Amino acid sequence: MRTDLHRHLDTPLPAVRNLGILAHVDAGKTTLTERILYLTGSTHKRGEVHDGTTVTDFDPQERDRGITIFAAAVSCTWDAHRINLIDTPGHVDFSDEVARSLRVLDGAVAVFDAVAGVEPQSEAVWRQADRYGVPRIAFVNKLDRAGADLDTAVESIRERLHPAPLVVQLPIGSESGFTGVVDLPRMRSLVWPEGRDTVEEGPVPEALRDAAEGRRRQLEEAVAELHPGALEEFCAEGTLSARTLTAALRDLTRSGDGVVVLCGSAYRNRGIEPLLDAVVAYLPSPCDVPAVRGTRDGGEQERFADPAAPFAALVFKVNGTATGRLTYLRVYSGTIGKGETVWDSGTGRTERIGRILRVQADRHAPLERAVAGDIVAVVGLKSARAGSTLCAPGAPLVLEPPTVADPVVSVAVEAVGSAEAEQLVSALTRLVEEDPSLVVRTDPETGQLVLSGMGELHLEVAVEKIRLAHGLDVRVGRPRVAYRETVVRGVSGLVHRHVKQDGGAGEFAHVVLDVEPLEDVPGDGDGGGATRFEFRSTVVGGRVPQEYVRALEAGCRDALADGPLGGHPVTGVRVVLTDGATHPKDSSERAFRTAGRFALREALRACAMVLLEPVADVTVTVPDDAVGGVLGDLAARRGQVSGSVARAGVVVISATVPLVELFGYATRLRSRTRGRGVFTARPAGYAPAPSTASTGTAAR
């Protein structure tokens, strides 16, 4: 087994695996990553999250809080394969960091707690992986815990994630007596003796032989149902060979028709070797995934993972360090060497690559070049942002960037001293460069700097980063949420006539509009916050030329920025142009854009409007003796409880709660449960706010 980074730079493309570790917070992602690095020889000491000694959680805030905040890339070798691995955050506030990582990965390992099964953020990251078409294998972790049950965890995968779980292992022992697994494809036992880091291979224990043969038969039947080649052999032979079973599992994993499920205990170093074998056997290499698609000169173009093709790479992360600006990128095609020039599609300019680095969390190894399939960091790029395409100047291409969710929580930030105001603006600008899910703007009414993000913790981490990295003393205002407004009852036949005559060329536009609500629920399915607007024209006979119709639509979109209830953005609206008139001299695109803006504002004032507030799906886990108080507190916060499940002395409560009511909830929950209660929340779109709800803290 090779361990030195410098010795595997020329690994053949089929022997490369680019994968991420995905999971709910505290499922054991970072511990699993640490064990992989230790087992492959990349580190010589096992890091522990509780000791703050992990490789990937190297940021001071991560070590203080005991959670992963920033996606960290590492590289190791296993069985002559190079594995480029990204440990992603598990907290919902950092889901955009996960999305940016998934955009550039070829595969993933989804980690599940053997007691809790599929948790809210496990489901969220699974859906993100679905969106980017990333093949996955599942690892059921913490099988040594009291209450751990592989079958229950697998059933939750089947019910909540809806893939076909293909379980390839049978545990040997349970809870604290968990010592190993039976490898079903090869019908052998793998045991990790207490106090040793090496696995012992042997025959299936006699006491488990009948159970193992039954599980092997279930696996064969499940695979045969999904894979035509396996079905043919199964019908002819009545069984599947290990070779056929492995090939079928690989095909089903890469197509997404099935997910291979393994189990173990990362903390106790059990199950890591077969997991790495599964990564090599089942997850795709860069040359196994479809060619990346981009646009060039208005047309679509494909780039295959070919080192000889024109260079194309996607930036997925930017990180400012004490020694310079690191730009993380995935190379999709071609080869790039240090000192060469690339074209940045985001800025439309060329830049020079100063250095190329193989990343090992906060450590780096210099490279002479990077080739198709590599995930590396480069130094020297001044303006590249996450989502930018870097390509050969003579072969321009624009790749689809990762999606960025709309922020839902805002705080006002200001420097304590006036002399530090400019430094704060510079620090915020740099922060937004590194994290596109953060937005900074100046409130036009108060002149305050407003920082918006995905949640309280997200903003708390961002502000603390400014304090630590820049030494600035920053004051933070009360969190504010991003309200929206929508139409519940529209108006028909609203006539607006825009006439302006003040010397010289005049302006004239006459329009008749119908305004109505869109049928589906505002914010539904978009995570909340995406402005939904539809415009169409039923005018015939050329009464309003098409270029004026487009200008009118642009004016209507301008009017959506400020609703009549409180100046919040308007969403969920359909506008129909039913009639209009023009003037041969005074009509223009400018006149119709102005008419559209004022006409829709007038129409919205005449419509029945409702205020929308962001809501979150909340999962609260509390001891069974504290359920009553927690339910009462959720009701006081306008929460709607959708269900509860009792298991192993705790109750898991599911509810939908307005985001504004969740500020400070963590402290309140700890107080009510003597520190034993925990909760998670994820954005669930927007819902009508009660008429008495205060909107004074809404982000404008």
Side-chain angles (χ1 to χ4, degrees):
M1 191 191 329
R2 295 179 298 169
T3 60
D4 186 355
L5 283 175
H6 295 278
R7 293 170 60 193
H8 67 261
L9 302 184
D10 295 315
T11 307
L13 204 54
V16 173
R17 299 291 183 271
N18 293 318
L19 66 119
I21 307 292
L22 314 174
H24 185 89
V25 65
D26 287 337
K29 298 180 311 304
T30 300
T31 300
L32 176 61
T33 303
E34 288 297 317
R35 298 307 186 261
I36 289 173
L37 293 177
Y38 177 74
L39 190 62
T40 57
S42 297
T43 59
H44 303 292
K45 182 180 179 182
R46 293 191 293 265
E48 304 293 353
V49 173
H50 55 268
D51 292 336
T53 56
T54 59
V55 172
T56 52
D57 285 354
F58 57 85
D59 187 273
Q61 289 201 71
E62 293 179 309
R63 293 186 168 176
D64 288 344
R65 299 174 190 270
I67 62 171
T68 301
I69 296 173
F70 310 106
V74 292
S75 188
C76 60
T77 57
W78 179 258
D79 192 23
H81 287 70
R82 186 173 79 243
I83 299 175
N84 297 320
L85 190 153
I86 297 181
D87 179 22
T88 65
H91 195 285
V92 64
D93 281 17
F94 308 103
S95 56
D96 256 37
E97 188 92 355
V98 181
R100 288 192 293 275
S101 300
L102 282 170
R103 174 63 181 84
V104 299
L105 293 172
D106 301 323
V109 175
V111 183
F112 301 94
D113 188 310
V115 177
V118 175
E119 297 174 272
Q121 189 61 8
S122 330
E123 190 170 353
V125 296
W126 190 275
R127 302 301 175 213
Q128 286 179 307
D130 282 341
R131 192 177 310 128
Y132 289 106
V134 177
R136 280 140 282 170
I137 57 179
F139 182 72
V140 179
N141 191 26
K142 302 187 178 182
L143 217 61
D144 59 319
R145 285 183 58 194
D149 189 295
L150 176 62
D151 291 340
T152 302
V154 169
E155 192 56 33
S156 71
I157 293 174
R158 188 192 314 277
E159 290 179 357
R160 298 186 60 179
L161 305 182
H162 309 297
L166 305 170
V167 184
V168 298
Q169 292 177 340
L170 174 67
I172 299 175
S174 62
E175 299 183 349
S176 60
F178 170 69
T179 58
V181 297
V182 174
D183 175 12
L184 298 176
R186 298 177 61 181
M187 289 301 285
R188 57 176 180 161
S189 70
L190 300 172
V191 177
W192 290 267
E194 191 68 40
R196 293 177 57 184
D197 294 332
T198 55
V199 60
E200 292 183 358
E201 182 180 339
V204 177
E206 197 60 40
L208 289 175
R209 178 161 293 279
D210 289 345
E213 289 175 350
R215 292 297 181 100
R216 165 67 188 242
R217 184 70 176 181
Q218 291 176 15
L219 176 62
E220 291 176 349
E221 291 172 351
V223 169
E225 284 183 9
L226 299 169
H227 193 279
L231 177 61
E232 186 176 339
E233 181 175 316
F234 187 74
C235 292
E237 305 293 336
T239 187
L240 295 178
S241 66
R243 181 176 179 180
T244 299
L245 187 55
T246 300
L249 289 170
R250 178 170 57 248
D251 292 342
L252 293 172
T253 299
R254 295 177 183 182
S255 68
D257 294 324
V259 56
V260 171
V261 180
L262 302 98
C263 61
S265 169
Y267 182 70
R268 296 187 181 275
N269 303 303
R270 292 169 186 169
I272 312 303
E273 293 96 333
L275 176 63
L276 286 168
D277 289 339
V279 164
V280 169
Y282 305 131
L283 292 180
S285 72
C287 52
D288 294 322
V289 298
V292 67
R293 294 175 178 270
T295 56
R296 178 179 180 180
D297 300 329
E300 193 174 84
Q301 188 176 95
E302 290 185 340
R303 291 279 174 90
F304 292 91
D306 180 1
F311 174 73
L314 185 70
V315 176
F316 68 95
K317 183 179 174 70
V318 176
N319 188 27
T321 68
T323 56
R325 188 173 186 266
L326 286 179
T327 304
Y328 293 75
L329 51 94
R330 160 69 188 267
V331 182
Y332 281 101
S333 67
T335 304
I336 190 72
K338 66 178 184 178
E340 295 186 19
T341 300
V342 296
W343 183 73
D344 181 351
S345 68
T347 60
R349 49 191 282 196
T350 56
E351 292 201 72
R352 182 177 172 274
I353 302 287
R355 289 186 293 152
I356 303 173
L357 305 171
R358 177 79 66 204
V359 181
Q360 194 77 347
D362 58 341
R363 296 182 292 115
H364 312 103
L367 301 175
E368 290 298 317
R369 60 192 175 88
V371 301
D374 270 335
I375 293 178
V376 296
V378 298
V379 179
L381 303 183
K382 296 185 174 123
S383 56
R385 303 285 183 269
S388 294
T389 302
L390 303 179
C391 54
L397 187 74
V398 179
L399 302 175
E400 181 184 357
T403 56
V404 179
D406 290 334
V408 294
V409 179
S410 302
V411 292
V413 292
E414 61 181 22
V416 172
S418 57
E420 296 177 324
E422 279 191 30
Q423 289 177 270
L424 176 59
V425 172
S426 174
L428 288 170
T429 302
R430 183 168 166 180
L431 198 65
V432 172
E433 285 181 10
E434 296 181 9
D435 186 352
S437 59
L438 291 169
V439 175
V440 175
R441 61 184 177 80
T442 302
D443 190 307
E445 295 182 5
T446 64
Q448 288 180 307
L449 282 172
V450 177
L451 178 65
S452 303
M454 303 306 298
E456 275 188 284
L457 181 60
H458 190 205
L459 295 179
E460 187 182 317
V461 166
V463 171
E464 188 64 21
K465 191 170 184 179
I466 291 174
R467 289 173 175 149
L468 292 173
H470 301 274
L472 293 175
D473 194 3
V474 181
R475 277 197 293 256
V476 180
R478 187 182 185 278
R480 304 179 296 177
V481 302
Y483 289 89
R484 296 287 185 267
E485 299 175 23
T486 193
V487 174
V488 292
R489 188 177 64 251
V491 296
S492 299
L494 183 132
V495 179
H496 183 82
R497 191 179 180 88
H498 173 65
V499 180
K500 183 179 180 182
Q501 290 289 347
D502 54 3
E507 292 186 12
F508 178 89
H510 176 89
V511 296
V512 182
L513 302 178
D514 289 349
V515 178
E516 57 193 34
L518 286 177
E519 289 78 6
D520 50 346
V521 179
D524 183 42
D526 61 15
T531 299
R532 295 170 46 259
F533 171 69
E534 184 180 302
F535 181 92
R536 70 169 185 258
S537 171
T538 60
V539 177
V540 296
R543 288 176 59 80
V544 181
Q546 193 59 39
E547 61 270 23
Y548 293 169
V549 173
R550 287 193 293 267
L552 179 71
E553 179 182 353
C556 290
R557 291 186 182 276
D558 294 341
L560 297 176
D562 303 293
L565 294 182
H568 314 296
V570 179
T571 187
V573 179
R574 178 187 292 113
V575 175
V576 183
L577 174 65
T578 59
D579 200 2
T582 62
H583 186 279
K585 290 186 178 179
D586 293 345
S587 289
S588 64
E589 292 183 25
R590 176 180 173 179
F592 271 84
R593 182 163 187 160
T594 303
R597 184 168 64 252
F598 286 107
L600 186 53
R601 283 180 179 172
E602 181 182 344
L604 292 175
R605 286 194 294 269
C607 291
M609 304 287 293
V610 68
L611 186 68
L612 301 174
E613 61 180 347
V615 296
D617 285 337
V618 177
T619 302
V620 190
T621 304
V622 297
D624 48 18
D625 60 356
V627 172
V630 170
L631 288 174
D633 190 37
L634 287 172
R637 295 171 186 271
R638 297 187 285 126
Q640 296 183 352
V641 176
S642 56
S644 62
V645 178
R647 61 175 180 234
V650 299
V651 176
V652 181
I653 302 168
S654 301
T656 301
V657 185
L659 190 63
V660 70
E661 302 287 355
L662 286 176
F663 296 137
Y665 182 61
T667 302
R668 182 68 172 170
L669 180 64
R670 284 195 293 268
S671 173
R672 283 190 173 275
T673 61
R674 297 190 182 94
R676 295 176 295 165
V678 295
F679 86 102
T680 59
R682 57 183 177 130
Y686 278 72
S691 57
T692 55
S694 170
T695 61
T697 58
R700 286 185 160 186

